[in-house]
Amino acid sequence: MNDMANPGYSAVYEAQGTDRAGLGGHDAVSNASQPMGVVLEISGAGGLIALDLQRLAECGADVDPSIAQSGLVGSQIRIMAGSNCLLASIRDQKQGRRADEGIIATVDFLGEGAVDPQTGALTSFRRGVTQYPLPGALAYPAGTGDLRRIYSGDGRAVVNVGKVHPTTTIRASLYIDSLLGKHFALLGSTGTGKSTALALILHRICELAPQGHILMIDPHGEYASAFRHTGLILDVSNLQLPYWLMNFEEHCEILLSSQGDNRQVDAEILGKCLLAARQKNRLAEALGGRITVDSPVPYLISDLQAILHNEMGKLEKATTTAPYVRLKSRIDELRGDPRFNFLFSGMLVGDTMVDVLSRMFRLPSAGQPIAIIDVSGVPSEVTSTVVALLSRLVFDFSIWAREEDTRPILLVCEEAHRYVPNEKNADGSSVGRILSRIAKEGRKYGVSLGLVTQRPSDLAEGVLSQCGTILSMRLNNERDQAFVRAAMPEGARGFLDSIPALRNRECIICGEGVAIPMRVSFDDLEEAKRPASSDPSFSQLWRQSGDDHQMVMRTVQRWRTQGR
């Protein structure tokens, strides 16, 4: 832009004693100390900046990659506001109304700090703005040194997961207490590296906190290979989840097959008989009978069946026995189905609650701070109920353990949109209610929630809004992009616009878990620590032949035995 078109622009430079002819040259002071633009307009969350084309070219040739990127969309610049220095992110740009007016950029304010009078460096950075600049204030490039001081953290515990774009040396740090204490969501379309990114974050957390307590629900069996050395892997072959740990609502989801008015009748009968079965246990007597239908007191399935039979025998009209027949038939069906052995095995009748919880929640961790619950082998009709049971156990345990020394638990849920769907797709299942409750109340009791999904627009909006940190990888669907954009804080809007343009293994992170919004390129993860989620290579696999018939035979055998 020329000074005739912007008369105030030259005056500002002259007031600073700056010779524009020598800006950025090797004979002059560094580009970082020279202004590259001037503030035209200010609002509560950002403003408009006029950027000088000559200065953009000079900064673009700087050896510092951060300065070289300054002035481009997604980059950061510094703006003087009295004694403070604001850091702002460039959201978008446009050419001035005339070709000689330079570039007009919209910026979002990220935070502010002080300027060291000796070195000119940005120090004591903090999020938020207390003193706004006035129109006419100068804008400067943000150098790698400034950004390193901001991104490196403020002394709180962090895990490093990658490099901050566009630098090659600044580490991207996540504040572990804020990340977990206020929940997080990892979003990204299929094929963007979401599973590997999650594995990387969890590995780094385990390295930082080897005595941690992490429970991850894995719906596809992807993560067993990633944590086989550092975690406990539980699936239908060794899960041993006692049926009597289910509350009444979960019992209804598994045992009731009727609908409408019949379902209400069946539920009333089941509740009455279930309570009677729990009361037959000696543990109930030791508790003085102060138990409810939801109390996790062991009972025998045979006792429940006997009580149903006795209650049915008291009836006078044969037509009223239908609810009892339905319940008895369903129980017989589940007990005879080998797919449900992890839930209804006779070995699970004893009072093993302490052992089950200690093993699942890693108390003690015994060098394996994470438990992977592989539910890929769980029958699809009860998967949601099993996830609900696991989630509720985490929440209820934390509620009743609040008088003890706190043992925070991180619950990570893959394919979260399947379990906490939006209102349009809601089916009224218990898993949606318990995960929603954890999102709203879990932090009070030391329960952290990590939600992972490829379809954020199908996720309950209220749940995503409870996530203090959002990590968004590339999203291809416009509806997903709009949904995430609405959930992000205002200061991150410039970063959000780049979500469709992210490469694989790149991510926009904003919220409580980071100092300021950042674009991150994730670290490479060792092959042995990656989940089994890589895409097959058609070009290679379709060139191979041999052993096909035997492969089909083995597959059919596993298919028929359901993997057993």
Side-chain angles (χ1 to χ4, degrees), residues 275-319:
L275 177 58
R278 292 193 192 277
Q279 289 174 333
K280 290 177 66 70
N281 190 286
R282 284 181 293 181
L283 180 58
E285 298 177 4
L287 295 173
R290 298 188 304 274
I291 67 170
T292 69
V293 71
D294 289 328
S295 299
V297 173
Y299 72 89
L300 295 172
I301 283 286
S302 57
D303 284 343
L304 177 59
Q305 290 177 306
I307 294 171
L308 283 168
H309 181 77
N310 292 337
E311 289 295 318
M312 184 171 61
K314 297 177 183 179
L315 300 176
E316 296 180 358
K317 296 182 180 180
T319 54

Side-chain angles (χ1 to χ4, degrees), residues 2 82 90 148 168 176 191 213 220 223 321 380 494 530 549-550:
N2 62 33
I90 296 182
R148 180 177 288 111
T168 57
I176 191 67
H213 313 286
H220 301 303
Y223 294 89
T321 63
S380 58
R530 296 177 188 173
H549 183 70
Q550 295 299 320

Side-chain angles (χ1 to χ4, degrees), residues 5-25:
N6 297 276
Y9 196 68
S10 178
V12 172
Y13 276 94
E14 292 173 2
Q16 299 293 322
T18 304
D19 179 10
R20 292 188 62 192
L23 292 183

Side-chain angles (χ1 to χ4, degrees), residues 194-195 198 216-220 222-223 412-419 450-454:
K194 184 171 71 278
S195 298
L198 177 62
M216 181 179 180
I217 298 172
D218 177 10
H220 301 303
E222 295 178 339
Y223 294 89
V412 182
C413 186
E414 259 273 21
E415 298 286 351
H417 61 276
R418 291 170 49 179
Y419 307 120
L451 300 176
V452 185
T453 178
Q454 61 192 12

Side-chain angles (χ1 to χ4, degrees), residues 1 9 13 31 34-38 49-53 55-56 59 67 70-72 76-77 90 138-142:
M1 84 188 59
Y9 196 68
Y13 276 94
N31 278 313
Q34 298 300 312
M36 64 186 305
V38 63
I49 307 291
L51 297 173
D52 182 65
L53 288 172
R55 289 291 294 127
L56 285 175
C59 290
I67 294 179
S70 284
L72 303 183
Q76 288 77 50
I77 59 173
I90 296 182
L138 297 179
Y140 296 80

Side-chain angles (χ1 to χ4, degrees), residues 409-524:
I409 299 174
L410 168 60
L411 174 65
V412 182
C413 186
E414 259 273 21
E415 298 286 351
H417 61 276
R418 291 170 49 179
Y419 307 120
V420 222
N422 55 27
E423 293 183 3
K424 178 181 177 181
N425 301 316
D427 56 2
S429 62
S430 59
V431 65
R433 283 188 288 274
I434 185 59
L435 287 176
S436 295
R437 189 178 179 193
I438 291 175
K440 296 173 184 176
E441 306 174 27
R443 68 192 68 178
K444 303 175 185 176
Y445 306 106
V447 179
S448 175
L449 184 62
L451 300 176
V452 185
T453 178
Q454 61 192 12
R455 292 302 306 270
S457 60
D458 288 343
L459 192 66
E461 186 174 1
V463 172
L464 186 61
S465 66
Q466 296 293 326
C467 295
T469 305
I470 296 180
L471 304 91
S472 179
M473 306 185 78
R474 188 176 68 252
L475 292 167
N476 300 324
N477 185 280
E478 290 186 5
R479 193 159 59 97
D480 291 330
Q481 296 168 16
F483 191 81
V484 174
R485 193 173 290 112
M488 292 277 199
E490 181 71 23
R493 294 296 171 85
F495 291 88
L496 293 177
D497 291 339
S498 65
I499 285 179
L502 292 174
R503 298 177 179 177
N504 288 352
R505 296 178 50 251
E506 280 193 339
C507 182
I508 301 297
I509 309 178
C510 70
E512 301 294 333
V514 290
I516 59 173
M518 63 177 78
R519 178 173 174 175
V520 174
S521 177
F522 283 115
D523 290 337
D524 286 328

